[in-house]
Amino acid sequence: MFFPFKKIILITICLLTFGVLTAQKTVTATSADIHDDMKRLNVLASALFVAAHPDDENTRMISWLSNKMLARTAYLSLTRGDGGQNLIGTELAELLGVMRTQELLMARSIDGGQQFFTRATDFGYSKNPDETLKIWNKDEVLSDVVWTIRNFQPDIIINRFDHKSAGKTHGHHTSSAILSYEAFDLVGDPKAYPEQLKYVNPWQPRRLFWNTSWWFYGSRENFAKADKSSLVSVDIGAYYPLKGKSNNEIAAESRSMHKCQGMGSTPARGSMQEYLEFLKGDKPMDKENPFAGINTTWSRLKGGAVIGNLIEKTIENFDYENPQNSVPNLVKAYTMTEALPDSYWKKVKMEDIQNVIYDCLGMFLDATAADFSATPGESTELKIEAITRTGSDIVLKSIDYLPLEIDTLINETLVPNQGIIFNKKITFPKSLNFTNPYWLTEKGSYGMYKVTDQKLIGLPETPRNLRVRFNFEINKKSFSFDRNIVYKKTDPVKGEVYRPFEITPPVFTNINNKVFVFPDQKGRSVEVLVKAGRTNLKGTLKLAYPDNWKIEPASINFDLAQKGEEETFSFMLFPPEGQNVGLISPIATVDGKSYTKGINIIDYDHIPTQTVFQNDEAKVVKIDLKKAGDRIGYIMGAGDKIPESLEQIGYRVDLLEDKDIRVDNLKKYDAVIIGIRAYNTNERIKFEQPKLMEYVNHGGTVIVQYNTAHRLKTKKLGPYPFSLSRKRVSVEEAEVRILKPDHSVINYPNKITQADFDNWVQERGLYFPDEWDERYEAILSSNDPGEPANDGGLLVAEYGKGHFVYSGYSWFRELPAGVPGAYRLFANLISIGK
């Protein structure tokens, strides 16, 4: 069967706009699932939930809308959370955004929702929407919100945050509500973003809500007294007998998928109220139903009422032991829907009915490759499997391999519980693009990802064009089911494990560090790992480097026989005199073509394995730096790259475990540094704290990096009391004032000046102490524009013979980013008392 390449791409994108695709082990639907999905067929309602970040969404509300109201429900997260922190690994920035995207998709697979995004980046904490919308391109993000609404066509929109709360919460939060509020009046106007109308139609939702709660009123008492005449109140504590779970239990499972943010949740059970404040549109008369007055039945489609009646009859006669008995009616409903005039709901319901038919027949379709990757032009062998465990009158007509112009004719009637399995060798076109997160293909700006293809905007993942289409005749009606080509293996511990199939470059180049810091004129070895993406790989490796730097040798030849084979090559890089900052990047030339992509694998059990290709580059920094001492003990917290950064400037860093934290052992260290949020995440830290303070008392130095006041394992963070606040300085260019210019941390061994606070990234610091014992000295002061001074960002105290330091300044961002002044000041902290 022949499908033009361009048409296939459009069909694939169209399907993916409304679906969640993950390379996870297939979960077979139970009869209870099928019955629920059949009831969902008879509901033509949709809701869009809008907020700023992954983990902002109210999973209780999303689950209630999807599982109780049976509405088509989606979450629009304006960002992918790439500015956050990672509690379970070292991925940050764009890689963290990829990881959090997958966690959201897994959350939606639990609560029944779908997922969308805009092109906005999570650039870190912002205190007001004016700053946020200036860093974001407001018009582009607003365009993306309008695009998503026109695509998804929700009847109702629910904002998670208050659009009137400027300055009271995260600027990203308020901005998400502001943009949704504005978009509500634009989506139905054909003059607004008319370029979108090539693909979508104007659409006007019926009403806009804000998902408020007592928290926004300051206290439960204030909320009890508040005027609730504009509120819809819904009980989201529903229990679903067929699932054996309550709504809140499902919501807790969903929220617990935000693992890298530490959002594990314990479910509540029983009745629980959620409140929706009416903002725009037609006000619902029923205060317990946000869809009140909206036709959510098949009768909203001309000629659709009879289809609704047929599906209702099928639901009433559903046989849990023999779900295949529902297939004739479902095929009839599909045929009747196909005959309706084209519309959004026609398309949605045809896909939904087809999926229920698939589940009723106990079908399993699979297309797995012999390896997890191939390069353009290569061949691979696919294992094709098709089986139906129930039902009859099912003919597998043919199988198409997309986007290839080849097929396999089958024309065989499937015998229940007897599968068709065969192998098929295919060759991929040389013109295939590499599989990669689409929003990382082109270099964006600080506030925005660059995506030029309108059809991609909003999608959670890059559409997988390599698919196998199974063409069936079921009860004399033609149906086609697409499956992504995936890789599958049997793990001796985990069993069957799926992984997305990737189209990759033939060669990958990864530099061993992302920052190289040169504290003197000595040359340093730069190691580049070259990995083969195919067999018989030969080429030349070079290193691009800035002017005034020197590199030896100029180039290196490589010859890798096996796919996946790796070899590390070393260059010597020599810095110029004086402080200097630049970039280096490897270039591999194979068959006359240059490649610059490194490979990054994100591999966790709770999400599909992600393969990300990025132009690999490293920052090279020549700084004027002196240090005293050379051996550091480091206690990890939530995860950071400070140890590697300190090794860059010549420190020996030992990662300390519980057994290592003994006073006699700690004495050998010039300083012991506590990683970010260790007092929030390390259950043992409360037992280690007395030993750390005894180490200080005997002459040691302890440096504690930022923690939050929430969920502290112990409140005794230092030798003397101090309290943490939520105060932060989010503007990285904010002035930093030196309060104690004569203090040793400002003068030894490096003289700190205002220039050392230039070119910081993302923010100055966070969660500064706001009260502290008089025995602490406040060294620095800073604040965002228009705010009072925050003096608690760097506190130093003498205790016994040693020194204790607490700092809320964001060393975990600045050192890995190679900020020269941050290295100089941090070296002074380590050197205190020397």
Side-chain angles (χ1 to χ4, degrees):
M1 190 176 294
F2 175 79
F3 288 92
F5 181 73
K6 184 178 293 185
K7 183 176 180 181
I8 289 169
I9 296 296
L10 292 175
I11 291 172
T12 302
I13 289 173
C14 190
L15 289 173
L16 285 175
T17 300
F18 301 102
V20 173
L21 292 181
T22 57
Q24 293 288 84
K25 185 174 180 178
T26 301
V27 178
T28 305
T30 67
S31 283
D33 297 328
I34 296 171
H35 192 242
D36 270 353
D37 289 340
M38 206 173 288
K39 290 189 293 183
R40 198 183 304 274
L41 293 178
N42 250 6
V43 178
L44 282 69
S46 56
L48 180 67
F49 199 88
V50 180
H53 310 107
D55 73 35
D56 280 347
E57 82 276 29
N58 184 345
T59 56
R60 297 184 302 272
M61 180 59 68
I62 291 175
S63 180
W64 181 82
L65 289 165
S66 178
N67 296 297
K68 179 63 177 179
M69 301 303 287
L70 302 178
R72 190 172 178 80
T73 306
Y75 173 41
L76 171 60
S77 176
L78 266 59
T79 76
R80 295 178 185 267
D82 34 297
Q85 287 132 52
N86 185 352
L87 299 188
I88 63 174
T90 59
E91 292 84 3
L92 292 173
E94 295 91 348
L95 296 182
L96 178 61
V98 172
M99 185 173 173
R100 296 188 73 182
T101 293
Q102 292 300 316
E103 289 187 337
L104 269 181
L105 288 172
M106 297 309 298
R108 298 292 80 78
S109 71
I110 291 171
D111 59 36
Q114 298 172 45
Q115 188 61 53
F116 299 105
F117 296 94
T118 74
R119 289 170 288 177
T121 68
D122 177 4
F123 57 82
Y125 192 83
S126 175
K127 290 186 175 178
N128 63 76
D130 291 339
E131 179 196 40
T132 297
L133 296 174
K134 182 179 179 181
I135 294 175
W136 290 348
N137 182 317
K138 179 185 176 182
D139 186 65
E140 287 186 0
V141 183
L142 180 59
S143 167
D144 293 355
V145 177
V146 169
W147 166 257
T148 301
I149 295 171
R150 285 172 170 173
N151 250 316
F152 189 66
Q153 295 193 13
D155 295 310
I156 65 173
I157 299 174
I158 302 173
N159 292 343
R160 184 52 173 150
F161 300 105
D162 180 11
H163 67 284
K164 306 183 297 296
S165 64
K168 297 179 182 178
T169 183
H170 198 321
H172 296 183
H173 293 169
T174 308
S175 295
S176 71
I178 290 172
L179 294 171
S180 176
Y181 192 85
E182 292 184 18
F184 187 87
D185 296 326
L186 297 175
V187 290
D189 182 359
K191 296 180 181 179
Y193 305 107
E195 68 280 1
Q196 297 179 2
L197 303 184
K198 180 179 178 181
Y199 309 102
V200 294
N201 295 317
W203 171 257
Q204 186 56 57
R206 287 287 294 274
R207 52 191 66 133
L208 175 67
F209 296 101
W210 165 36
N211 184 194
T212 188
S213 71
W214 67 265
W215 188 86
F216 292 98
Y217 288 76
S219 69
R220 295 183 187 275
E221 292 75 17
N222 291 343
F223 184 63
K225 300 173 185 176
D227 177 13
K228 298 183 179 61
S229 59
S230 293
L231 300 186
V232 172
S233 175
V234 299
D235 184 353
I236 49 87
Y239 177 70
Y240 308 122
L242 294 183
K243 298 180 184 296
K245 297 177 182 178
S246 69
N247 189 73
N248 290 337
E249 288 173 310
I250 294 172
E253 290 179 15
S254 172
R255 189 155 187 78
S256 294
M257 292 308 300
H258 297 298
K259 297 186 186 301
C260 70
Q261 299 301 295
M263 291 294 172
S265 298
T266 299
R269 297 167 184 83
S271 179
M272 181 180 293
Q273 296 299 123
E274 285 280 352
Y275 298 90
L276 303 176
E277 180 176 316
F278 172 75
L279 300 178
K280 283 186 178 183
D282 63 314
K283 191 172 184 178
M285 301 306 295
D286 184 344
K287 294 299 183 67
E288 296 182 353
N289 181 5
F291 292 99
I294 300 174
N295 185 356
T296 61
T297 73
W298 278 88
S299 64
R300 74 185 293 173
L301 303 181
K302 184 178 180 180
V306 63
I307 302 173
N309 292 336
L310 175 60
I311 292 174
E312 185 61 36
K313 180 181 177 182
T314 307
I315 295 170
E316 292 173 358
N317 296 327
F318 183 71
D319 184 348
Y320 281 88
E321 293 291 331
N322 297 285
Q324 70 274 13
N325 292 346
S326 298
V327 170
N329 274 354
L330 290 171
V331 171
K332 184 177 180 181
Y334 181 91
T335 304
M336 294 166 68
T337 305
E338 191 177 34
L340 296 178
D342 288 341
S343 70
Y344 166 83
W345 279 112
K346 171 188 173 179
K347 176 184 171 185
V348 167
K349 289 304 176 183
M350 285 182 66
E351 184 178 338
D352 289 347
I353 294 170
Q354 178 168 299
N355 289 336
V356 176
I357 291 172
Y358 178 93
D359 289 335
C360 283
L361 294 173
M363 296 183 81
F364 178 84
L365 307 175
D366 212 17
T368 58
D371 199 351
F372 83 92
S373 70
T375 61
E378 276 195 309
S379 298
T380 193
E381 188 165 275
L382 300 181
K383 179 182 178 182
I384 306 297
E385 181 177 358
I387 189 172
T388 174
R389 270 69 68 87
T390 63
S392 58
D393 198 12
I394 305 166
V395 181
L396 178 57
K397 303 293 289 185
S398 63
I399 295 175
D400 303 318
Y401 307 91
L402 310 179
L404 314 178
E405 298 178 7
I406 59 175
D407 62 10
T408 299
L409 298 178
I410 306 291
N411 203 30
E412 184 174 333
T413 300
L414 295 186
V415 177
N417 219 26
Q418 294 186 25
I420 294 177
I421 301 176
F422 64 92
N423 293 333
K424 176 73 175 183
K425 187 175 183 179
I426 62 172
T427 301
F428 300 113
K430 292 183 178 180
S431 60
L432 276 184
N433 292 326
F434 305 139
T435 52
N436 208 38
Y438 68 86
W439 61 95
L440 300 180
T441 299
E442 298 185 69
K443 188 175 181 61
S445 65
Y446 180 55
M448 298 291 295
Y449 287 117
K450 184 177 181 181
V451 182
T452 55
D453 187 342
Q454 180 67 56
K455 298 183 298 299
L456 291 175
I457 292 172
L459 297 183
E461 299 181 282
T462 303
R464 296 276 172 168
N465 297 325
L466 294 175
R467 301 163 70 81
V468 171
R469 177 167 294 165
F470 296 80
N471 302 302
F472 286 92
E473 186 177 88
I474 302 172
N475 284 36
K476 307 299 189 268
K477 179 68 178 176
S478 295
F479 291 91
S480 294
F481 300 95
D482 286 7
R483 290 295 176 267
N484 288 342
I485 295 175
V486 296
Y487 171 66
K488 181 172 66 174
K489 68 176 183 179
T490 301
D491 183 274
V493 175
K494 301 173 186 176
E496 187 178 58
V497 176
Y498 281 82
R499 179 174 178 175
F501 181 77
E502 312 290 355
I503 297 295
T504 77
V507 61
F508 316 107
T509 55
N510 287 79
I511 303 181
N512 60 320
N513 288 309
K514 297 307 178 188
V515 175
F516 290 88
V517 181
F518 294 75
D520 50 39
Q521 296 302 123
K522 294 179 182 178
R524 289 194 55 189
S525 174
V526 175
E527 296 184 345
V528 180
L529 183 144
V530 177
K531 184 171 184 175
R534 72 174 200 209
T535 58
N536 301 319
L537 186 76
K538 296 182 180 180
T540 302
L541 178 68
K542 294 183 178 181
L543 202 63
Y545 57 95
D547 293 340
N548 300 324
W549 294 67
K550 295 181 181 179
I551 192 80
E552 294 178 357
S555 65
I556 301 173
N557 294 328
F558 58 84
D559 185 349
L560 304 175
Q562 301 296 319
K563 178 180 179 180
E565 185 177 349
E566 300 175 351
E567 189 169 352
T568 298
F569 301 94
S570 295
F571 295 87
M572 285 298 295
L573 182 64
F574 298 89
E577 294 185 3
Q579 191 157 293
N580 190 288
V581 178
L583 294 173
I584 58 173
S585 57
I587 303 171
T589 302
V590 176
D591 298 331
K593 187 174 181 180
S594 295
Y595 297 91
T596 59
K597 299 292 185 184
I599 185 170
N600 302 280
I601 306 295
I602 303 173
D603 188 10
Y604 294 91
D605 286 346
H606 67 294
I607 60 174
T609 299
Q610 299 297 296
T611 305
V612 183
F613 312 119
Q614 291 179 294
N615 285 331
D616 206 46
E617 62 184 18
K619 189 175 184 179
V620 290
V621 183
K622 170 63 170 57
I623 61 176
D624 176 19
L625 181 137
K626 302 179 181 67
K627 64 186 182 70
D630 61 13
R631 194 167 186 184
I632 305 296
Y634 202 93
I635 300 174
M636 292 299 292
D640 60 59
K641 296 185 178 181
I642 297 292
E644 299 98 302
S645 300
L646 295 178
E647 289 172 343
Q648 287 277 333
I649 55 175
Y651 286 106
R652 174 182 170 182
V653 183
D654 296 336
L655 299 182
L656 302 182
E657 300 178 4
D658 287 347
K659 62 182 177 61
D660 303 317
I661 304 175
R662 308 185 315 273
V663 177
D664 62 322
N665 186 54
L666 297 179
K667 288 180 180 179
K668 65 187 178 186
Y669 295 110
D670 293 292
V672 173
I673 302 172
I674 316 298
I676 60 172
R677 295 185 66 180
Y679 289 87
N680 300 125
T681 61
N682 186 335
E683 293 290 344
R684 299 287 304 171
I685 197 75
K686 60 186 175 183
F687 304 115
E688 316 299 358
Q689 184 69 3
K691 304 173 192 175
L692 293 169
M693 292 304 100
E694 187 176 351
Y695 159 71
V696 175
N697 191 33
H698 284 82
T701 297
V702 165
I703 302 170
V704 178
Q705 298 178 78
Y706 98 93
N707 289 267
T708 69
H710 184 54
R711 295 180 179 176
L712 283 171
K713 306 305 179 185
T714 176
K715 294 185 179 179
K716 296 181 180 180
L717 306 187
Y720 314 117
F722 64 90
S723 61
L724 300 178
S725 73
R726 295 185 62 83
K727 294 179 180 178
R728 63 200 298 159
V729 182
S730 62
V731 177
E732 54 267 33
E733 300 89 358
E735 179 189 6
V736 178
R737 298 171 294 278
I738 300 175
L739 301 177
K740 301 281 186 179
D742 296 327
H743 198 284
S744 63
V745 299
I746 300 299
N747 294 281
Y748 180 80
N750 303 288
K751 177 64 177 178
I752 302 302
T753 69
Q754 288 298 325
D756 289 303
F757 299 102
D758 292 343
N759 302 312
W760 282 42
V761 299
Q762 188 156 335
E763 61 192 344
R764 288 295 191 195
L766 60 170
Y767 301 107
F768 290 172
D770 58 353
E771 294 181 1
W772 52 89
D773 187 279
E774 62 183 8
R775 285 167 285 190
Y776 289 104
E777 292 185 89
I779 307 300
L780 302 175
S781 178
S782 187
N783 54 272
D784 282 325
E787 295 188 357
N790 290 313
D791 296 344
L794 179 57
L795 301 178
V796 179
E798 294 183 6
Y799 180 63
K801 298 179 181 180
H803 293 82
F804 174 84
V805 177
Y806 184 89
S807 181
Y809 284 92
S810 57
W811 311 109
F812 72 103
R813 298 196 191 281
E814 311 314 320
L815 298 190
V819 177
Y823 273 95
R824 285 164 46 82
L825 181 50
F826 205 84
N828 282 13
L829 296 179
I830 295 172
S831 304
I832 191 170
K834 305 293 189 299

